[in-house]
Amino acid sequence: VSALRVRPAVANDATFLAEMLAVAADWRPGSMARPVASVLADPAIAHYVDGWPRHTDVGVVAESDGAPVGAAWWRFLPADDPGYGFVDVSTPEISIGVRVDQRGRGVGTALLSELLRTADGARLETTSLSVEVDNPAVRLYLRAGFEVLATSDGAHTMVRRRPDPI
Ligand SMILES: CC(C)(COP(=O)(O)OP(=O)(O)OC[C@H]1O[C@@H](n2cnc3c(N)ncnc32)[C@H](O)[C@@H]1OP(=O)(O)O)[C@@H](O)C(=O)NCCC(=O)NCCS
């Protein structure tokens, strides 16, 4: 068993983040995983990683034996170019993806908890994401404290509020 390490995402991770964005977009088992370039040809998807890192972008990368296996990150998007999980301009939207051959062993859980720890530390009031209603990842998000804010076109917009300090 190889040790898992979660570290901050840096500028050099742009290509890997784009790969993870592509696997997140094509999450459905049995559906063809498209090449990264064709996923990024859709501006509604590409805007989650374009020009990474912008100065308000924050992300984490999971490494196993020194090789990246998954990533999670947030980005603030403007009201005139909203993401699928847009709530408001002060709520960044989270993207998360784990390499197909590395799923189901806790990588996604580790990535999300580290990113949310960072969000809470940065005093972000809310974070959001968009997930299709039949994606098993919904359970991961509910466990992490996200709630369904709205549902349309087969996808939930989920929001997590920063927990009150004890
Ligand atoms: C969702 C995802 C990031 C979770 O990462 P992971 O490392 O597989 O997660 P974990 O091992 O920590 O397990 C957490 C949850 O992920 C989901 N999961 C686990 N293995 C999975 C697999 N092989 N395929 C899809 N989802 C899986 C399950 O819902 C699991 O929770 P459960 O045990 O209550 O069912 C990852 O499976 C993935 O990249 N999926 C495809 C992309 C995607 O759907 N991204 C989110 C779009 S909103």
Side-chain angles (χ1 to χ4, degrees), residues 76-91:
F76 293 88
L77 286 166
D80 61 0
D81 180 30
Y84 292 109
F86 182 81
V87 174
D88 58 42
V89 292
S90 51
T91 301

Side-chain angles (χ1 to χ4, degrees), residues 27-109:
W27 66 272
R28 207 174 284 278
S31 80
M32 264 262 285
R34 294 168 291 170
V36 179
S38 62
V39 176
L40 292 184
D42 181 352
I45 295 179
H47 65 179
Y48 291 107
V49 286
D50 273 344
W52 171 273
R54 294 184 186 158
H55 75 286
T56 52
D57 288 343
V58 172
V60 288
V61 170
E63 288 181 346
S64 182
D65 291 332
V69 293
W73 66 98
W74 77 58
R75 168 166 282 184
F76 293 88
L77 286 166
D80 61 0
D81 180 30
Y84 292 109
F86 182 81
V87 174
D88 58 42
V89 292
S90 51
T91 301
E93 189 170 334
I94 290 177
S95 303
I96 181 168
V98 170
R99 260 175 46 189
V100 176
D101 59 334
Q102 301 286 329
R103 290 179 192 164
R105 64 172 187 113
V107 177
T109 301

Side-chain angles (χ1 to χ4, degrees), residues 114 129 149:
E114 184 58 22
L129 56 82
L149 179 75

